[in-house]
């Protein structure tokens, strides 16, 4: 989550709308299972309505994701976004539950370490609009930014990652130049 935005403090995790297994050994969720979870959770009207919305910054509640995944319910005030980032070695999925979000992504695999500046080639940019009920899944090292471009409507989304996020790398972008700005660890957003 972004350190420049507000968080909703929670005493604990909010149970997922799916049933939980009592089995001690849980298989790692697949990308398809993460996408199914975020879609199912986004249809939980009571849960979506429980998220306090702040007109100034993003808000979030931690959820219990499937198979030990990390999951979040996130509120996006008009005009807010994440900035360019990746999720390290985690796979993930997200679905818009209310409003609309725009995702810009790069169809390129970045080096994992040892660089500060990269020049991107032509044709790597992708964009998609995700209205309520629409989502997407992604593999490891997916670089993107997510935005609520509305001038007056909050958006709400559900996100899940596996394994739980070990780090988030944040980037700045000027034209074709992508620059690594910082690396965050879980302590920075939880």
């Amino acid at each position: 989550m972004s350190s420049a935005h507000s968080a909703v403090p929670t005493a604990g995790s909010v149970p997922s709308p799916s049933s939980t297994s009592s089995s001690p050994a849980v298989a790692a969720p697949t990308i398809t299972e993460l996408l199914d979870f975020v879609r199912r959770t986004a249809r939980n009207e009571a849960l979506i309505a429980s998220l306090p919305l702040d007109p100034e910054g993003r808000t979030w509640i931690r959820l219990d994701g499937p198979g030990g995944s990390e999951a979040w319910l996130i509120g996006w005030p008009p005009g807010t976004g994440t900035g360019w980032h990746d999720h390290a070695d985690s796979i993930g999925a997200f679905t818009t539950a209310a409003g609309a979000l725009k995702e810009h992504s790069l169809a390129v695999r970045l080096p994992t370490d040892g660089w500060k500046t990269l020049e991107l080639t032509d044709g790597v940019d992708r964009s998609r609009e995700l209205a309520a009920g629409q989502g997407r899944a992604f593999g490891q090292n997916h670089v993107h930014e997510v935005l609520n471009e509305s001038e007056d409507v909050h958006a709400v989304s559900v996100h899940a990652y596996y394994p739980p996020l070990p780090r988030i790398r944040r980037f700045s972008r000027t034209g074709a130049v992508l620059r690594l700005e910082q690396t965050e660890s879980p302590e920075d957003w939880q």
Side-chain angles (χ1 to χ4, degrees):
M1 309 291 92
S2 173
S3 59
H5 300 326
S6 62
V8 174
T10 59
S13 297
V14 174
S16 72
S18 62
S19 62
T20 57
S21 171
S22 60
S23 171
V26 177
T30 65
I31 288 177
T32 301
E33 290 167 334
L34 292 177
L35 185 58
D36 289 345
F37 168 81
V38 297
R39 285 178 173 161
R40 192 171 54 252
T41 303
R43 291 189 300 267
N44 182 331
E45 292 177 15
L47 178 63
I48 301 311
S50 74
L51 179 66
L53 300 177
D54 181 336
E56 300 298 318
R58 289 189 301 149
T59 53
W60 50 83
I61 297 174
R62 179 98 186 239
L63 305 173
D64 290 333
S69 64
E70 180 174 342
W72 300 90
L73 177 64
I74 301 175
W76 306 74
T80 60
T82 60
W84 287 97
H85 67 283
D86 72 5
H87 306 100
D89 294 325
S90 296
I91 60 172
F94 71 97
T95 293
T96 304
L101 293 171
K102 180 148 222 184
E103 181 197 35
H104 300 290
S105 62
L106 299 176
V108 63
R109 185 174 174 96
L110 300 179
T112 55
D113 291 306
W115 66 277
K116 292 287 184 190
T117 303
L118 289 176
E119 187 159 344
L120 302 170
T121 59
D122 289 339
V124 299
D125 287 291
R126 305 288 184 267
S127 289
R128 69 181 75 208
E129 184 86 19
L130 298 164
Q134 295 181 320
R136 68 155 346 234
F138 51 86
Q140 296 176 328
N141 302 301
H142 176 69
V143 179
H144 70 163
E145 68 174 345
V146 180
L147 309 160
N148 177 1
E149 294 183 325
S150 172
E151 294 181 13
D152 55 3
V153 177
H154 261 81
V156 177
S157 58
V158 181
H159 303 246
Y161 311 97
Y162 189 86
L165 297 172
R167 65 182 177 161
I168 293 177
R169 295 186 302 178
R170 297 214 175 264
F171 310 101
S172 63
R173 182 165 180 196
T174 306
V177 177
L178 189 71
R179 180 179 311 278
L180 176 62
E181 296 294 343
Q182 72 183 66
T183 301
E184 297 175 359
S185 63
E187 304 82 53
D188 297 321
W189 63 80
Q190 294 186 19

